[in-house]
Amino acid sequence: MMEMLEQICGMETGDKDKIYTDLIESFQKGNIVLYGAGGIGYITSCILKEKACNIHCFVDDNKTKQGTYVNGIKVISLEELGRDAGYGYIVLICIPNPMDVYHRLISLGYKKVQYFPVMMWEKNFYNISLLKENRDKIDAVYEFLADSLSRSVFMNILKHRITMDFSILDNIISQKQYFPSDIFVLNDRECFVDGGVYNGETIADFVNSVDNKFDYIYGFEPDKQNFSNLTKSVAHMDCNRLKLFNAGLYSKAGEISFDSHGNSASAISDTGGDNISLVRLDDVVGEHKPTYIKLDIEGAEKEALYGMQNTIAENHPKLAISIYHKAADLWELPLLIRTLPASYNIYIRHYSNGLHETVCYAI
């Protein structure tokens, strides 16, 4: 593996720092349209505003977002952009799966379409020095991964982070995020913990996957707007089998500063304008003992795992942990899971043609 890492580090071509600098300069000189008004788009708009780039608007296919404002920027439809002579704008795609949209826009006649991952660049994901500094940890993770697909996913993500070649990711994309039938099968007595419920989509997928036959669901969502929307979307469910917390999972109970945006970009932040409640899973689990825990909590996964060590030791639940929110999560979180008080086999699956939606499964 160490030889392989050295080999893929040798795959680097071009001066990526200059490419990024030139890209930002082009943004500063032109009018930018951000395609995707979700979490990635919001964070990207903040970065570009700080760099004095002129953002004309967001484009989003979600009709409920059209006509609203994100970070003070209007959201419109692609059709409206076309009527507004949008073909002359620089369109930067800001969604987890950029390539389908890229080819669609090119086919429609848009000439200036970019899918450079500004947010992930700024978060240090393409820093090769970081990989070299963590060579031993990367080697250790590769060695204990449980199957060949996990090793291919792990290596191809690293190759992409060195080359920025998005085609490298094409043959490692899996389906059925959080419910991979090649790794485990759910039964009709599952107790599901959804850390980072957001809009309830994963809860709905869970219920469908077990044909509504399950024991219990715990859901945790700290963003107040997300939580309000969530309670409406699950109002039809049996309240005797569901408990929702307007709180974040963490290593200790209390409160913490939080950036609330009512989208997937909501996250713990030292500069956040809101305070949210934090709970340890160990403290709130009742008579229903978790059998499957999913975490997608915008970088707080490590702290949440520390707050559920007793639950893991006592119940040995299946784990599905997002490992793409921080640049080192790809190896740091699998290593952490290996130290937890349970003996797990570790798998990695990937669900986008960008660097988003990478999940570590522990079974």
Side-chain angles (χ1 to χ4, degrees), residues 7 18 33 37 55 59 80 108 123 125 134 149 166-167 181 194 240-241 249 251 261 278 303 307 331 349:
Q7 179 182 346
K18 185 178 188 306
V33 172
I55 303 172
V59 166
E80 184 176 347
L108 290 173
K123 287 187 172 185
F125 277 77
N134 288 276
L149 179 54
F166 282 80
S167 68
S181 58
D194 191 349
N240 293 315
R241 295 198 294 167
L249 288 171
S251 57
H261 304 297
L278 299 173
E303 294 295 331
W331 54 88
R349 295 293 186 264

mmCIF file with all atom_site columns, all heavy atoms in Angstrom, residues 7 18 33 37 55 59 80 108 123 125 134 149 166-167 181 194 240-241 249 251 261 278 303 307 331 349:
data_model
loop_
_atom_site.group_PDB
_atom_site.id
_atom_site.type_symbol
_atom_site.label_atom_id
_atom_site.label_alt_id
_atom_site.label_comp_id
_atom_site.label_asym_id
_atom_site.label_entity_id
_atom_site.label_seq_id
_atom_site.pdbx_PDB_ins_code
_atom_site.Cartn_x
_atom_site.Cartn_y
_atom_site.Cartn_z
_atom_site.occupancy
_atom_site.B_iso_or_equiv
_atom_site.pdbx_formal_charge
_atom_site.auth_seq_id
_atom_site.auth_comp_id
_atom_site.auth_asym_id
_atom_site.auth_atom_id
_atom_site.pdbx_PDB_model_num
ATOM 1   N N   . GLN A 1 7   ? 2.981   5.713  -5.649  1.00 0.00 ? 7   GLN A N   1
ATOM 2   C CA  . GLN A 1 7   ? 2.682   5.671  -7.080  1.00 0.00 ? 7   GLN A CA  1
ATOM 3   C C   . GLN A 1 7   ? 1.579   6.653  -7.449  1.00 0.00 ? 7   GLN A C   1
ATOM 4   O O   . GLN A 1 7   ? 1.710   7.402  -8.423  1.00 0.00 ? 7   GLN A O   1
ATOM 5   C CB  . GLN A 1 7   ? 2.268   4.261  -7.480  1.00 0.00 ? 7   GLN A CB  1
ATOM 6   C CG  . GLN A 1 7   ? 1.908   4.121  -8.953  1.00 0.00 ? 7   GLN A CG  1
ATOM 7   C CD  . GLN A 1 7   ? 1.465   2.709  -9.300  1.00 0.00 ? 7   GLN A CD  1
ATOM 8   O OE1 . GLN A 1 7   ? 1.663   1.783  -8.535  1.00 0.00 ? 7   GLN A OE1 1
ATOM 9   N NE2 . GLN A 1 7   ? 0.838   2.567  -10.456 1.00 0.00 ? 7   GLN A NE2 1
ATOM 10  N N   . LYS A 1 18  ? -2.301  27.086 -9.233  1.00 0.00 ? 18  LYS A N   1
ATOM 11  C CA  . LYS A 1 18  ? -2.445  28.094 -10.290 1.00 0.00 ? 18  LYS A CA  1
ATOM 12  C C   . LYS A 1 18  ? -3.792  27.949 -10.992 1.00 0.00 ? 18  LYS A C   1
ATOM 13  O O   . LYS A 1 18  ? -4.439  28.952 -11.329 1.00 0.00 ? 18  LYS A O   1
ATOM 14  C CB  . LYS A 1 18  ? -1.314  27.977 -11.308 1.00 0.00 ? 18  LYS A CB  1
ATOM 15  C CG  . LYS A 1 18  ? -1.351  29.083 -12.370 1.00 0.00 ? 18  LYS A CG  1
ATOM 16  C CD  . LYS A 1 18  ? -0.188  28.977 -13.328 1.00 0.00 ? 18  LYS A CD  1
ATOM 17  C CE  . LYS A 1 18  ? -0.137  30.180 -14.253 1.00 0.00 ? 18  LYS A CE  1
ATOM 18  N NZ  . LYS A 1 18  ? -1.397  30.430 -14.967 1.00 0.00 ? 18  LYS A NZ  1
ATOM 19  N N   . VAL A 1 33  ? -23.191 32.104 -12.081 1.00 0.00 ? 33  VAL A N   1
ATOM 20  C CA  . VAL A 1 33  ? -24.437 31.451 -11.684 1.00 0.00 ? 33  VAL A CA  1
ATOM 21  C C   . VAL A 1 33  ? -24.060 30.174 -10.942 1.00 0.00 ? 33  VAL A C   1
ATOM 22  O O   . VAL A 1 33  ? -23.270 29.374 -11.454 1.00 0.00 ? 33  VAL A O   1
ATOM 23  C CB  . VAL A 1 33  ? -25.313 31.120 -12.901 1.00 0.00 ? 33  VAL A CB  1
ATOM 24  C CG1 . VAL A 1 33  ? -26.510 30.266 -12.482 1.00 0.00 ? 33  VAL A CG1 1
ATOM 25  C CG2 . VAL A 1 33  ? -25.781 32.399 -13.585 1.00 0.00 ? 33  VAL A CG2 1
ATOM 26  N N   . ALA A 1 37  ? -28.848 25.195 -5.006  1.00 0.00 ? 37  ALA A N   1
ATOM 27  C CA  . ALA A 1 37  ? -29.037 26.129 -3.886  1.00 0.00 ? 37  ALA A CA  1
ATOM 28  C C   . ALA A 1 37  ? -29.117 25.396 -2.551  1.00 0.00 ? 37  ALA A C   1
ATOM 29  O O   . ALA A 1 37  ? -29.785 25.853 -1.625  1.00 0.00 ? 37  ALA A O   1
ATOM 30  C CB  . ALA A 1 37  ? -30.304 26.963 -4.112  1.00 0.00 ? 37  ALA A CB  1
ATOM 31  N N   . ILE A 1 55  ? -21.816 37.123 -7.925  1.00 0.00 ? 55  ILE A N   1
ATOM 32  C CA  . ILE A 1 55  ? -22.754 36.010 -8.115  1.00 0.00 ? 55  ILE A CA  1
ATOM 33  C C   . ILE A 1 55  ? -24.088 36.575 -8.582  1.00 0.00 ? 55  ILE A C   1
ATOM 34  O O   . ILE A 1 55  ? -24.743 37.326 -7.852  1.00 0.00 ? 55  ILE A O   1
ATOM 35  C CB  . ILE A 1 55  ? -22.925 35.202 -6.821  1.00 0.00 ? 55  ILE A CB  1
ATOM 36  C CG1 . ILE A 1 55  ? -21.565 34.694 -6.326  1.00 0.00 ? 55  ILE A CG1 1
ATOM 37  C CG2 . ILE A 1 55  ? -23.889 34.040 -7.037  1.00 0.00 ? 55  ILE A CG2 1
ATOM 38  C CD1 . ILE A 1 55  ? -21.606 34.047 -4.961  1.00 0.00 ? 55  ILE A CD1 1
ATOM 39  N N   . VAL A 1 59  ? -29.327 28.763 -9.542  1.00 0.00 ? 59  VAL A N   1
ATOM 40  C CA  . VAL A 1 59  ? -30.303 28.001 -10.312 1.00 0.00 ? 59  VAL A CA  1
ATOM 41  C C   . VAL A 1 59  ? -30.547 26.700 -9.565  1.00 0.00 ? 59  VAL A C   1
ATOM 42  O O   . VAL A 1 59  ? -29.602 26.055 -9.104  1.00 0.00 ? 59  VAL A O   1
ATOM 43  C CB  . VAL A 1 59  ? -29.805 27.705 -11.740 1.00 0.00 ? 59  VAL A CB  1
ATOM 44  C CG1 . VAL A 1 59  ? -30.657 26.632 -12.408 1.00 0.00 ? 59  VAL A CG1 1
ATOM 45  C CG2 . VAL A 1 59  ? -29.835 28.969 -12.575 1.00 0.00 ? 59  VAL A CG2 1
ATOM 46  N N   . GLU A 1 80  ? -35.704 30.175 -16.594 1.00 0.00 ? 80  GLU A N   1
ATOM 47  C CA  . GLU A 1 80  ? -35.634 31.628 -16.396 1.00 0.00 ? 80  GLU A CA  1
ATOM 48  C C   . GLU A 1 80  ? -34.241 32.151 -16.714 1.00 0.00 ? 80  GLU A C   1
ATOM 49  O O   . GLU A 1 80  ? -34.085 33.234 -17.287 1.00 0.00 ? 80  GLU A O   1
ATOM 50  C CB  . GLU A 1 80  ? -36.012 31.986 -14.955 1.00 0.00 ? 80  GLU A CB  1
ATOM 51  C CG  . GLU A 1 80  ? -36.063 33.493 -14.692 1.00 0.00 ? 80  GLU A CG  1
ATOM 52  C CD  . GLU A 1 80  ? -36.528 33.835 -13.293 1.00 0.00 ? 80  GLU A CD  1
ATOM 53  O OE1 . GLU A 1 80  ? -37.045 32.931 -12.591 1.00 0.00 ? 80  GLU A OE1 1
ATOM 54  O OE2 . GLU A 1 80  ? -36.371 35.009 -12.893 1.00 0.00 ? 80  GLU A OE2 1
ATOM 55  N N   . LEU A 1 108 ? -27.356 21.926 -23.851 1.00 0.00 ? 108 LEU A N   1
ATOM 56  C CA  . LEU A 1 108 ? -28.313 23.017 -24.031 1.00 0.00 ? 108 LEU A CA  1
ATOM 57  C C   . LEU A 1 108 ? -27.667 24.278 -24.609 1.00 0.00 ? 108 LEU A C   1
ATOM 58  O O   . LEU A 1 108 ? -28.358 25.262 -24.868 1.00 0.00 ? 108 LEU A O   1
ATOM 59  C CB  . LEU A 1 108 ? -28.975 23.358 -22.686 1.00 0.00 ? 108 LEU A CB  1
ATOM 60  C CG  . LEU A 1 108 ? -29.950 22.304 -22.139 1.00 0.00 ? 108 LEU A CG  1
ATOM 61  C CD1 . LEU A 1 108 ? -30.387 22.682 -20.724 1.00 0.00 ? 108 LEU A CD1 1
ATOM 62  C CD2 . LEU A 1 108 ? -31.158 22.168 -23.057 1.00 0.00 ? 108 LEU A CD2 1
ATOM 63  N N   . LYS A 1 123 ? -11.561 23.262 1.763   1.00 0.00 ? 123 LYS A N   1
ATOM 64  C CA  . LYS A 1 123 ? -11.516 22.403 2.952   1.00 0.00 ? 123 LYS A CA  1
ATOM 65  C C   . LYS A 1 123 ? -10.302 21.472 2.964   1.00 0.00 ? 123 LYS A C   1
ATOM 66  O O   . LYS A 1 123 ? -10.203 20.582 3.799   1.00 0.00 ? 123 LYS A O   1
ATOM 67  C CB  . LYS A 1 123 ? -12.794 21.563 3.033   1.00 0.00 ? 123 LYS A CB  1
ATOM 68  C CG  . LYS A 1 123 ? -14.034 22.349 3.447   1.00 0.00 ? 123 LYS A CG  1
ATOM 69  C CD  . LYS A 1 123 ? -15.207 21.401 3.658   1.00 0.00 ? 123 LYS A CD  1
ATOM 70  C CE  . LYS A 1 123 ? -16.402 22.107 4.256   1.00 0.00 ? 123 LYS A CE  1
ATOM 71  N NZ  . LYS A 1 123 ? -17.504 21.165 4.570   1.00 0.00 ? 123 LYS A NZ  1
ATOM 72  N N   . PHE A 1 125 ? -9.200  19.170 0.780   1.00 0.00 ? 125 PHE A N   1
ATOM 73  C CA  . PHE A 1 125 ? -9.309  17.807 0.281   1.00 0.00 ? 125 PHE A CA  1
ATOM 74  C C   . PHE A 1 125 ? -8.290  17.489 -0.807  1.00 0.00 ? 125 PHE A C   1
ATOM 75  O O   . PHE A 1 125 ? -7.960  16.319 -1.021  1.00 0.00 ? 125 PHE A O   1
ATOM 76  C CB  . PHE A 1 125 ? -10.725 17.549 -0.251  1.00 0.00 ? 125 PHE A CB  1
ATOM 77  C CG  . PHE A 1 125 ? -11.708 17.184 0.814   1.00 0.00 ? 125 PHE A CG  1
ATOM 78  C CD1 . PHE A 1 125 ? -12.245 18.144 1.655   1.00 0.00 ? 125 PHE A CD1 1
ATOM 79  C CD2 . PHE A 1 125 ? -12.097 15.867 0.992   1.00 0.00 ? 125 PHE A CD2 1
ATOM 80  C CE1 . PHE A 1 125 ? -13.148 17.820 2.651   1.00 0.00 ? 125 PHE A CE1 1
ATOM 81  C CE2 . PHE A 1 125 ? -13.001 15.521 1.989   1.00 0.00 ? 125 PHE A CE2 1
ATOM 82  C CZ  . PHE A 1 125 ? -13.525 16.506 2.819   1.00 0.00 ? 125 PHE A CZ  1
ATOM 83  N N   . ASN A 1 134 ? 0.082   11.582 6.316   1.00 0.00 ? 134 ASN A N   1
ATOM 84  C CA  . ASN A 1 134 ? -0.731  10.557 6.972   1.00 0.00 ? 134 ASN A CA  1
ATOM 85  C C   . ASN A 1 134 ? -0.568  9.189  6.308   1.00 0.00 ? 134 ASN A C   1
ATOM 86  O O   . ASN A 1 134 ? -1.458  8.341  6.398   1.00 0.00 ? 134 ASN A O   1
ATOM 87  C CB  . ASN A 1 134 ? -2.199  10.982 6.970   1.00 0.00 ? 134 ASN A CB  1
ATOM 88  C CG  . ASN A 1 134 ? -2.471  12.120 7.929   1.00 0.00 ? 134 ASN A CG  1
ATOM 89  O OD1 . ASN A 1 134 ? -2.682  11.907 9.118   1.00 0.00 ? 134 ASN A OD1 1
ATOM 90  N ND2 . ASN A 1 134 ? -2.455  13.340 7.410   1.00 0.00 ? 134 ASN A ND2 1
ATOM 91  N N   . LEU A 1 149 ? -13.929 -4.296 -2.943  1.00 0.00 ? 149 LEU A N   1
ATOM 92  C CA  . LEU A 1 149 ? -14.597 -3.074 -3.376  1.00 0.00 ? 149 LEU A CA  1
ATOM 93  C C   . LEU A 1 149 ? -14.251 -1.918 -2.432  1.00 0.00 ? 149 LEU A C   1
ATOM 94  O O   . LEU A 1 149 ? -14.014 -0.794 -2.882  1.00 0.00 ? 149 LEU A O   1
ATOM 95  C CB  . LEU A 1 149 ? -16.115 -3.273 -3.439  1.00 0.00 ? 149 LEU A CB  1
ATOM 96  C CG  . LEU A 1 149 ? -16.936 -2.048 -3.851  1.00 0.00 ? 149 LEU A CG  1
ATOM 97  C CD1 . LEU A 1 149 ? -16.440 -1.465 -5.171  1.00 0.00 ? 149 LEU A CD1 1
ATOM 98  C CD2 . LEU A 1 149 ? -18.414 -2.391 -3.940  1.00 0.00 ? 149 LEU A CD2 1
ATOM 99  N N   . PHE A 1 166 ? -12.233 13.375 -12.399 1.00 0.00 ? 166 PHE A N   1
ATOM 100 C CA  . PHE A 1 166 ? -13.511 12.888 -11.898 1.00 0.00 ? 166 PHE A CA  1
ATOM 101 C C   . PHE A 1 166 ? -13.889 11.530 -12.482 1.00 0.00 ? 166 PHE A C   1
ATOM 102 O O   . PHE A 1 166 ? -14.663 10.794 -11.875 1.00 0.00 ? 166 PHE A O   1
ATOM 103 C CB  . PHE A 1 166 ? -14.616 13.905 -12.180 1.00 0.00 ? 166 PHE A CB  1
ATOM 104 C CG  . PHE A 1 166 ? -14.624 15.064 -11.221 1.00 0.00 ? 166 PHE A CG  1
ATOM 105 C CD1 . PHE A 1 166 ? -13.744 16.114 -11.378 1.00 0.00 ? 166 PHE A CD1 1
ATOM 106 C CD2 . PHE A 1 166 ? -15.495 15.096 -10.139 1.00 0.00 ? 166 PHE A CD2 1
ATOM 107 C CE1 . PHE A 1 166 ? -13.726 17.183 -10.492 1.00 0.00 ? 166 PHE A CE1 1
ATOM 108 C CE2 . PHE A 1 166 ? -15.483 16.153 -9.235  1.00 0.00 ? 166 PHE A CE2 1
ATOM 109 C CZ  . PHE A 1 166 ? -14.599 17.197 -9.417  1.00 0.00 ? 166 PHE A CZ  1
ATOM 110 N N   . SER A 1 167 ? -13.335 11.183 -13.634 1.00 0.00 ? 167 SER A N   1
ATOM 111 C CA  . SER A 1 167 ? -13.673 9.892  -14.238 1.00 0.00 ? 167 SER A CA  1
ATOM 112 C C   . SER A 1 167 ? -13.176 8.726  -13.379 1.00 0.00 ? 167 SER A C   1
ATOM 113 O O   . SER A 1 167 ? -13.700 7.610  -13.491 1.00 0.00 ? 167 SER A O   1
ATOM 114 C CB  . SER A 1 167 ? -13.093 9.792  -15.648 1.00 0.00 ? 167 SER A CB  1
ATOM 115 O OG  . SER A 1 167 ? -11.673 9.724  -15.622 1.00 0.00 ? 167 SER A OG  1
ATOM 116 N N   . SER A 1 181 ? -27.169 -3.948 0.282   1.00 0.00 ? 181 SER A N   1
ATOM 117 C CA  . SER A 1 181 ? -27.529 -5.351 0.452   1.00 0.00 ? 181 SER A CA  1
ATOM 118 C C   . SER A 1 181 ? -26.325 -6.282 0.342   1.00 0.00 ? 181 SER A C   1
ATOM 119 O O   . SER A 1 181 ? -26.392 -7.438 0.779   1.00 0.00 ? 181 SER A O   1
ATOM 120 C CB  . SER A 1 181 ? -28.588 -5.756 -0.576  1.00 0.00 ? 181 SER A CB  1
ATOM 121 O OG  . SER A 1 181 ? -28.118 -5.531 -1.893  1.00 0.00 ? 181 SER A OG  1
ATOM 122 N N   . ASP A 1 194 ? -31.030 7.636  13.524  1.00 0.00 ? 194 ASP A N   1
ATOM 123 C CA  . ASP A 1 194 ? -30.696 8.511  12.405  1.00 0.00 ? 194 ASP A CA  1
ATOM 124 C C   . ASP A 1 194 ? -30.088 9.796  12.958  1.00 0.00 ? 194 ASP A C   1
ATOM 125 O O   . ASP A 1 194 ? -30.806 10.684 13.429  1.00 0.00 ? 194 ASP A O   1
ATOM 126 C CB  . ASP A 1 194 ? -31.941 8.820  11.567  1.00 0.00 ? 194 ASP A CB  1
ATOM 127 C CG  . ASP A 1 194 ? -31.593 9.493  10.243  1.00 0.00 ? 194 ASP A CG  1
ATOM 128 O OD1 . ASP A 1 194 ? -30.425 9.907  10.077  1.00 0.00 ? 194 ASP A OD1 1
ATOM 129 O OD2 . ASP A 1 194 ? -32.473 9.609  9.377   1.00 0.00 ? 194 ASP A OD2 1
ATOM 130 N N   . ASN A 1 240 ? -45.593 5.945  18.609  1.00 0.00 ? 240 ASN A N   1
ATOM 131 C CA  . ASN A 1 240 ? -45.126 4.972  19.603  1.00 0.00 ? 240 ASN A CA  1
ATOM 132 C C   . ASN A 1 240 ? -43.861 4.250  19.154  1.00 0.00 ? 240 ASN A C   1
ATOM 133 O O   . ASN A 1 240 ? -43.255 3.517  19.934  1.00 0.00 ? 240 ASN A O   1
ATOM 134 C CB  . ASN A 1 240 ? -46.214 3.938  19.894  1.00 0.00 ? 240 ASN A CB  1
ATOM 135 C CG  . ASN A 1 240 ? -47.417 4.546  20.587  1.00 0.00 ? 240 ASN A CG  1
ATOM 136 O OD1 . ASN A 1 240 ? -47.264 5.326  21.522  1.00 0.00 ? 240 ASN A OD1 1
ATOM 137 N ND2 . ASN A 1 240 ? -48.612 4.208  20.124  1.00 0.00 ? 240 ASN A ND2 1
ATOM 138 N N   . ARG A 1 241 ? -43.489 4.455  17.885  1.00 0.00 ? 241 ARG A N   1
ATOM 139 C CA  . ARG A 1 241 ? -42.282 3.802  17.363  1.00 0.00 ? 241 ARG A CA  1
ATOM 140 C C   . ARG A 1 241 ? -41.255 4.814  16.876  1.00 0.00 ? 241 ARG A C   1
ATOM 141 O O   . ARG A 1 241 ? -40.308 4.457  16.163  1.00 0.00 ? 241 ARG A O   1
ATOM 142 C CB  . ARG A 1 241 ? -42.639 2.849  16.224  1.00 0.00 ? 241 ARG A CB  1
ATOM 143 C CG  . ARG A 1 241 ? -43.495 1.669  16.661  1.00 0.00 ? 241 ARG A CG  1
ATOM 144 C CD  . ARG A 1 241 ? -43.442 0.571  15.614  1.00 0.00 ? 241 ARG A CD  1
ATOM 145 N NE  . ARG A 1 241 ? -44.057 0.983  14.348  1.00 0.00 ? 241 ARG A NE  1
ATOM 146 C CZ  . ARG A 1 241 ? -43.920 0.300  13.204  1.00 0.00 ? 241 ARG A CZ  1
ATOM 147 N NH1 . ARG A 1 241 ? -43.154 -0.787 13.167  1.00 0.00 ? 241 ARG A NH1 1
ATOM 148 N NH2 . ARG A 1 241 ? -44.533 0.708  12.111  1.00 0.00 ? 241 ARG A NH2 1
ATOM 149 N N   . LEU A 1 249 ? -26.101 15.033 18.150  1.00 0.00 ? 249 LEU A N   1
ATOM 150 C CA  . LEU A 1 249 ? -25.356 14.005 18.862  1.00 0.00 ? 249 LEU A CA  1
ATOM 151 C C   . LEU A 1 249 ? -23.913 14.458 19.047  1.00 0.00 ? 249 LEU A C   1
ATOM 152 O O   . LEU A 1 249 ? -23.279 14.978 18.127  1.00 0.00 ? 249 LEU A O   1
ATOM 153 C CB  . LEU A 1 249 ? -25.391 12.688 18.081  1.00 0.00 ? 249 LEU A CB  1
ATOM 154 C CG  . LEU A 1 249 ? -26.727 11.944 18.081  1.00 0.00 ? 249 LEU A CG  1
ATOM 155 C CD1 . LEU A 1 249 ? -26.685 10.779 17.096  1.00 0.00 ? 249 LEU A CD1 1
ATOM 156 C CD2 . LEU A 1 249 ? -27.060 11.437 19.483  1.00 0.00 ? 249 LEU A CD2 1
ATOM 157 N N   . SER A 1 251 ? -20.214 14.243 22.067  1.00 0.00 ? 251 SER A N   1
ATOM 158 C CA  . SER A 1 251 ? -19.494 13.505 23.107  1.00 0.00 ? 251 SER A CA  1
ATOM 159 C C   . SER A 1 251 ? -19.909 13.913 24.509  1.00 0.00 ? 251 SER A C   1
ATOM 160 O O   . SER A 1 251 ? -19.605 13.215 25.479  1.00 0.00 ? 251 SER A O   1
ATOM 161 C CB  . SER A 1 251 ? -17.987 13.721 22.944  1.00 0.00 ? 251 SER A CB  1
ATOM 162 O OG  . SER A 1 251 ? -17.679 15.105 22.983  1.00 0.00 ? 251 SER A OG  1
ATOM 163 N N   . HIS A 1 261 ? -29.033 27.085 8.726   1.00 0.00 ? 261 HIS A N   1
ATOM 164 C CA  . HIS A 1 261 ? -29.385 27.565 7.387   1.00 0.00 ? 261 HIS A CA  1
ATOM 165 C C   . HIS A 1 261 ? -30.652 26.921 6.849   1.00 0.00 ? 261 HIS A C   1
ATOM 166 O O   . HIS A 1 261 ? -31.111 27.289 5.771   1.00 0.00 ? 261 HIS A O   1
ATOM 167 C CB  . HIS A 1 261 ? -28.230 27.298 6.412   1.00 0.00 ? 261 HIS A CB  1
ATOM 168 C CG  . HIS A 1 261 ? -26.926 27.882 6.840   1.00 0.00 ? 261 HIS A CG  1
ATOM 169 N ND1 . HIS A 1 261 ? -26.725 29.236 6.985   1.00 0.00 ? 261 HIS A ND1 1
ATOM 170 C CD2 . HIS A 1 261 ? -25.762 27.288 7.190   1.00 0.00 ? 261 HIS A CD2 1
ATOM 171 C CE1 . HIS A 1 261 ? -25.486 29.455 7.391   1.00 0.00 ? 261 HIS A CE1 1
ATOM 172 N NE2 . HIS A 1 261 ? -24.884 28.296 7.530   1.00 0.00 ? 261 HIS A NE2 1
ATOM 173 N N   . LEU A 1 278 ? -27.020 19.706 22.692  1.00 0.00 ? 278 LEU A N   1
ATOM 174 C CA  . LEU A 1 278 ? -26.232 18.519 22.391  1.00 0.00 ? 278 LEU A CA  1
ATOM 175 C C   . LEU A 1 278 ? -26.588 17.415 23.375  1.00 0.00 ? 278 LEU A C   1
ATOM 176 O O   . LEU A 1 278 ? -26.823 17.691 24.561  1.00 0.00 ? 278 LEU A O   1
ATOM 177 C CB  . LEU A 1 278 ? -24.734 18.816 22.505  1.00 0.00 ? 278 LEU A CB  1
ATOM 178 C CG  . LEU A 1 278 ? -24.150 19.882 21.579  1.00 0.00 ? 278 LEU A CG  1
ATOM 179 C CD1 . LEU A 1 278 ? -22.696 20.154 21.950  1.00 0.00 ? 278 LEU A CD1 1
ATOM 180 C CD2 . LEU A 1 278 ? -24.249 19.447 20.120  1.00 0.00 ? 278 LEU A CD2 1
ATOM 181 N N   . GLU A 1 303 ? -17.066 13.215 17.408  1.00 0.00 ? 303 GLU A N   1
ATOM 182 C CA  . GLU A 1 303 ? -17.559 13.508 18.754  1.00 0.00 ? 303 GLU A CA  1
ATOM 183 C C   . GLU A 1 303 ? -18.791 12.665 19.081  1.00 0.00 ? 303 GLU A C   1
ATOM 184 O O   . GLU A 1 303 ? -18.961 12.195 20.212  1.00 0.00 ? 303 GLU A O   1
ATOM 185 C CB  . GLU A 1 303 ? -17.888 14.996 18.885  1.00 0.00 ? 303 GLU A CB  1
ATOM 186 C CG  . GLU A 1 303 ? -16.677 15.918 18.785  1.00 0.00 ? 303 GLU A CG  1
ATOM 187 C CD  . GLU A 1 303 ? -15.702 15.716 19.931  1.00 0.00 ? 303 GLU A CD  1
ATOM 188 O OE1 . GLU A 1 303 ? -16.139 15.322 21.035  1.00 0.00 ? 303 GLU A OE1 1
ATOM 189 O OE2 . GLU A 1 303 ? -14.503 15.942 19.720  1.00 0.00 ? 303 GLU A OE2 1
ATOM 190 N N   . GLY A 1 307 ? -19.642 9.739  22.152  1.00 0.00 ? 307 GLY A N   1
ATOM 191 C CA  . GLY A 1 307 ? -20.799 9.810  23.041  1.00 0.00 ? 307 GLY A CA  1
ATOM 192 C C   . GLY A 1 307 ? -21.713 8.596  22.983  1.00 0.00 ? 307 GLY A C   1
ATOM 193 O O   . GLY A 1 307 ? -22.788 8.613  23.598  1.00 0.00 ? 307 GLY A O   1
ATOM 194 N N   . TRP A 1 331 ? -9.662  8.505  6.547   1.00 0.00 ? 331 TRP A N   1
ATOM 195 C CA  . TRP A 1 331 ? -8.879  7.515  7.306   1.00 0.00 ? 331 TRP A CA  1
ATOM 196 C C   . TRP A 1 331 ? -9.061  7.653  8.812   1.00 0.00 ? 331 TRP A C   1
ATOM 197 O O   . TRP A 1 331 ? -9.047  6.670  9.541   1.00 0.00 ? 331 TRP A O   1
ATOM 198 C CB  . TRP A 1 331 ? -7.392  7.595  6.940   1.00 0.00 ? 331 TRP A CB  1
ATOM 199 C CG  . TRP A 1 331 ? -6.769  8.947  7.068   1.00 0.00 ? 331 TRP A CG  1
ATOM 200 C CD1 . TRP A 1 331 ? -6.187  9.483  8.180   1.00 0.00 ? 331 TRP A CD1 1
ATOM 201 C CD2 . TRP A 1 331 ? -6.649  9.939  6.039   1.00 0.00 ? 331 TRP A CD2 1
ATOM 202 N NE1 . TRP A 1 331 ? -5.715  10.746 7.922   1.00 0.00 ? 331 TRP A NE1 1
ATOM 203 C CE2 . TRP A 1 331 ? -5.974  11.055 6.615   1.00 0.00 ? 331 TRP A CE2 1
ATOM 204 C CE3 . TRP A 1 331 ? -7.030  10.002 4.702   1.00 0.00 ? 331 TRP A CE3 1
ATOM 205 C CZ2 . TRP A 1 331 ? -5.686  12.209 5.877   1.00 0.00 ? 331 TRP A CZ2 1
ATOM 206 C CZ3 . TRP A 1 331 ? -6.745  11.161 3.987   1.00 0.00 ? 331 TRP A CZ3 1
ATOM 207 C CH2 . TRP A 1 331 ? -6.089  12.244 4.567   1.00 0.00 ? 331 TRP A CH2 1
ATOM 208 N N   . ARG A 1 349 ? -18.151 2.515  1.068   1.00 0.00 ? 349 ARG A N   1
ATOM 209 C CA  . ARG A 1 349 ? -18.874 2.649  -0.190  1.00 0.00 ? 349 ARG A CA  1
ATOM 210 C C   . ARG A 1 349 ? -19.005 4.143  -0.526  1.00 0.00 ? 349 ARG A C   1
ATOM 211 O O   . ARG A 1 349 ? -18.980 4.992  0.366   1.00 0.00 ? 349 ARG A O   1
ATOM 212 C CB  . ARG A 1 349 ? -20.264 2.008  -0.099  1.00 0.00 ? 349 ARG A CB  1
ATOM 213 C CG  . ARG A 1 349 ? -20.241 0.491  0.106   1.00 0.00 ? 349 ARG A CG  1
ATOM 214 C CD  . ARG A 1 349 ? -19.687 -0.251 -1.086  1.00 0.00 ? 349 ARG A CD  1
ATOM 215 N NE  . ARG A 1 349 ? -19.809 -1.703 -0.942  1.00 0.00 ? 349 ARG A NE  1
ATOM 216 C CZ  . ARG A 1 349 ? -18.828 -2.493 -0.484  1.00 0.00 ? 349 ARG A CZ  1
ATOM 217 N NH1 . ARG A 1 349 ? -17.673 -1.955 -0.090  1.00 0.00 ? 349 ARG A NH1 1
ATOM 218 N NH2 . ARG A 1 349 ? -19.005 -3.800 -0.412  1.00 0.00 ? 349 ARG A NH2 1
#
